[in-house]
Amino acid sequence: MSRKSIIITVILFCGLGAAYFLSGTPLPVDVTVAETGEVKAFVEERAKTTLPRIYRIAMPLNGRILPITVKEDQKVTKGQIVAQMDTSDLDAEVAKAKYRVEQFAKKIIEQADNRLEDNSLDQFDEFLKSMDLTVEAASKQQEASKAKWEFARSEFDRKYQLSKRNAISESELNEADLFKKQSEIDYQKDILTWRSLQAVQSAMQIGKISILKYKEKKVLSEAVLKEEQKEAISQFDQLQRDRQRAIMHSPIDGTILTRNFENERTLPAGEILLEIGQLEDLEVDVDVLSQYVGNIRIGSPVDIEGPAIGNQIVKGKVKRIYPKGFTKISSLGVEQQRVKVIISFENNIWKELQKQKRNLGTDFRVRVKIYTEIKENVVKVPRSTLFRNGSGQWQAFLVRNHKTVLVDVAPGVMNDFEAEILTGIQAGDRLIVAPSMNLTPGQSVEVHLIKNL
């Protein structure tokens, strides 16, 4: 069709429309009746099921994991073994650490045993007592020998003077000289004996001191061994804990949600093997636009529905509103600021669905309606009957005596389908549904009543 033909067609239709309106023929309109009832304001969003806590079983340390036999959706009990590492190397390390601890214990016992040293000290004490007496006797002996020598020397000097005067014979002088020399030799021998005994006495005292020092050294060595034993025990305890951790148990009575590995393989510490949860604690996680969160309260009622639940609508309530928002890109590529809201089921929906032979797990898609305000026994009208004029005033077209009446209204609580009317409309008034932009006040209309929109 050419551009000229399109313009002619539009002018023709406009002319026919104008002729129809000027002809005075009643305009057919759809009409509904304002009534009294309940109006709810709500926020509707897509959401997903979640769990308040998911227990993750991870590799406790670097090593080889044995085949994991539990499967997704399998029920497990608290304490049940769900995964296990190959512990052959750990067992060898534990045995080695245990042997090291035992060896330190034996060494400490040996170091603490001072019976030999104590016996030696007792013997040294006895020897020293005897030696003290012997040294004292030797001292007395050398003093006596000294006195004898001094006497012999003085006697020789006296006889020597007599011999000069020929008062004694030469043999008497020689005998006095011999006696002097023998006394001197005996005196020197007694001095050597006394000093030798003193040296032995000093050596024995040094020996006693050496034993005492050795005992002190043993005490220090024992302290060092005890510290090394503590370190060995700590290593042994750590290896035992690692050995215990190598056998992984379920922390709860729950269901296997995820199994990331099945076959035997080597994995690093921290690698997630399994996820376990309690499906009876299911709740709903929804990201709400931040401008709507201000009207939501803890405990606000919620309707939950969706194919995952079936045709029924399940009741819930707001459990938690996160204090921090986040940015999310919508499916249309629009950047939105949203806030996470957690919703709890009023009844144990999981058990009820189990009875109905329906499965519901975590991360299942649902839809929620979070009711922010509920008004009862108010005048309400379908939302499609209201519109705003150029200045932003809410208005509606009523039908009275088959003619249109334009009224200003003050709406209250509203949602996508209906609205509370505070002023301007009363129960029983008939309103035009989705009025045409060409509709004017006082225009004749032909009414077609719609009971249920």
Side-chain angles (χ1 to χ4, degrees):
M1 183 179 290
S2 65
R3 184 175 181 182
K4 183 176 180 181
S5 300
I6 293 173
I7 294 173
I8 293 173
T9 302
V10 171
I11 293 172
L12 179 61
F13 274 109
C14 290
L16 291 174
Y20 179 80
F21 282 111
L22 293 174
S23 66
T25 304
L27 179 68
V29 293
D30 294 329
V31 173
T32 188
V33 179
E35 57 185 15
T36 301
E38 182 182 69
V39 179
K40 300 178 179 179
F42 59 83
V43 177
E44 187 171 12
E45 289 284 356
R46 291 194 306 170
K48 65 179 181 179
T49 58
T50 186
L51 287 173
R53 182 174 181 183
I54 294 177
Y55 297 82
R56 292 176 174 85
I57 307 298
M59 285 288 289
L61 58 156
N62 298 333
R64 191 165 188 81
I65 190 71
L66 297 177
I68 300 175
T69 57
V70 293
K71 300 178 181 179
E72 289 89 344
D73 198 39
Q74 180 177 333
K75 301 291 187 301
V76 292
T77 58
K78 184 176 181 179
Q80 178 180 337
I81 296 175
V82 292
Q84 186 172 353
M85 291 178 59
D86 180 0
T87 59
S88 55
D89 292 339
L90 270 175
D91 291 338
E93 291 294 328
V94 169
K96 187 188 298 182
K98 182 180 179 182
Y99 175 77
R100 187 161 177 257
V101 170
E102 292 172 349
Q103 289 301 108
F104 274 115
K106 290 179 180 179
K107 290 180 180 179
I108 290 172
I109 292 172
E110 290 176 359
Q111 288 295 108
D113 187 2
N114 293 319
R115 289 176 297 177
L116 179 61
E117 290 80 4
D118 291 339
N119 289 335
S120 298
L121 287 173
D122 291 340
Q123 290 177 2
F124 266 102
D125 288 337
E126 294 297 325
F127 289 154
L128 284 171
K129 288 179 182 179
S130 176
M131 186 57 65
D132 290 342
L133 296 174
T134 303
V135 169
E136 186 179 357
S139 176
K140 297 293 184 181
Q141 179 64 38
Q142 65 89 21
E143 289 176 0
S145 297
K146 181 180 180 181
K148 181 180 178 181
W149 171 64
E150 290 175 349
F151 171 76
R153 188 175 58 180
S154 63
E155 187 67 14
F156 172 77
D157 291 340
R158 185 181 65 82
K159 287 184 177 183
Y160 178 74
Q161 294 298 328
L162 291 173
S163 68
K164 286 181 178 182
R165 298 194 298 269
N166 296 317
I168 61 171
S169 64
E170 185 178 352
S171 63
E172 287 180 331
L173 179 62
N174 291 335
E175 185 178 352
D177 184 40
L178 178 61
F179 179 65
K180 182 190 72 167
K181 290 179 179 178
Q182 287 179 342
S183 297
E184 184 179 4
I185 291 171
D186 290 340
Y187 173 54
Q188 294 298 327
K189 287 173 60 179
D190 289 342
I191 288 175
L192 289 174
T193 301
W194 174 57
R195 288 179 178 174
S196 297
L197 291 173
Q198 282 184 320
V200 173
Q201 182 185 39
S202 298
M204 294 184 70
Q205 289 174 341
I206 293 171
K208 179 180 179 180
I209 293 172
S210 298
I211 293 174
L212 291 173
K213 293 292 185 182
Y214 180 69
K215 284 185 67 177
E216 292 177 1
K217 184 179 178 181
K218 285 184 67 177
V219 171
L220 293 175
S221 299
E222 183 181 353
V224 172
L225 286 172
K226 286 182 177 178
E227 290 301 318
E228 292 177 347
Q229 184 190 39
K230 287 180 182 179
E231 181 182 354
I233 291 173
S234 177
Q235 293 176 352
F236 176 60
D237 291 342
Q238 180 63 53
L239 287 169
Q240 281 190 313
R241 286 193 294 270
D242 289 343
R243 178 64 178 81
Q244 292 172 353
R245 293 191 186 110
I247 301 176
M248 288 150 272
H249 303 265
S250 173
I252 57 168
D253 294 334
T255 303
I256 302 295
L257 304 177
T258 306
R259 181 179 64 172
N260 294 323
F261 302 98
E262 178 181 357
N263 296 323
E264 182 176 345
R265 64 179 63 196
T266 301
L267 294 172
E271 190 76 41
I272 303 298
L273 304 174
L274 298 166
E275 291 183 342
I276 304 175
Q278 294 175 309
L279 293 178
E280 55 268 26
D281 294 336
L282 275 174
E283 53 191 24
V284 176
D285 180 340
V286 56
D287 299 333
V288 180
L289 288 169
S290 58
Q291 60 263 36
Y292 299 141
V293 172
N295 297 323
I296 299 175
R297 300 287 181 270
I298 301 297
S300 294
V302 182
D303 283 347
I304 307 167
E305 57 185 335
I309 297 175
N311 297 325
Q312 58 187 322
I313 295 178
V314 178
K315 298 295 181 181
K317 60 182 178 181
V318 175
K319 177 182 178 182
R320 183 167 67 255
I321 302 171
Y322 279 62
K324 187 177 184 301
F326 61 94
T327 301
K328 184 177 182 180
I329 305 300
S330 70
S331 58
L332 299 177
V334 179
E335 188 177 276
Q336 298 173 331
Q337 200 67 17
R338 291 183 174 265
V339 176
K340 190 174 293 295
V341 176
I342 302 299
I343 298 166
S344 62
F345 291 96
E346 285 192 354
N347 298 318
N348 194 323
I349 182 64
W350 186 75
K351 287 186 177 180
E352 291 183 3
L353 292 177
Q354 288 288 306
K355 293 178 182 178
Q356 301 172 18
K357 296 184 178 180
R358 296 185 64 88
N359 292 321
L360 181 65
T362 185
D363 291 330
F364 282 38
R365 181 63 65 189
V366 294
R367 290 195 69 84
V368 297
K369 285 183 181 178
I370 305 173
Y371 293 101
T372 57
E373 191 174 0
I374 300 175
K375 289 287 192 70
E376 297 179 351
N377 297 320
V378 297
V379 177
K380 65 176 184 177
V381 298
R383 178 72 180 270
S384 59
T385 61
L386 303 181
F387 60 91
R388 290 180 185 268
N389 61 15
S391 61
Q393 173 64 48
W394 285 98
Q395 293 182 317
F397 272 109
L398 303 182
V399 175
R400 291 174 181 165
N401 299 322
H402 296 283
K403 291 188 179 295
T404 59
V405 177
L406 182 63
V407 295
D408 293 339
V409 298
V413 175
M414 64 172 62
N415 55 46
D416 294 339
F417 307 104
E418 55 189 9
E420 173 196 9
I421 302 300
L422 301 177
T423 60
I425 299 174
Q426 296 179 353
D429 286 344
R430 296 191 296 174
L431 298 90
I432 296 177
V433 179
S436 170
M437 293 180 61
N438 297 322
L439 198 62
T440 58
Q443 186 173 344
S444 296
V445 292
E446 180 182 344
V447 175
H448 175 232
L449 183 63
I450 300 176
K451 294 183 178 181
N452 297 314
L453 286 180

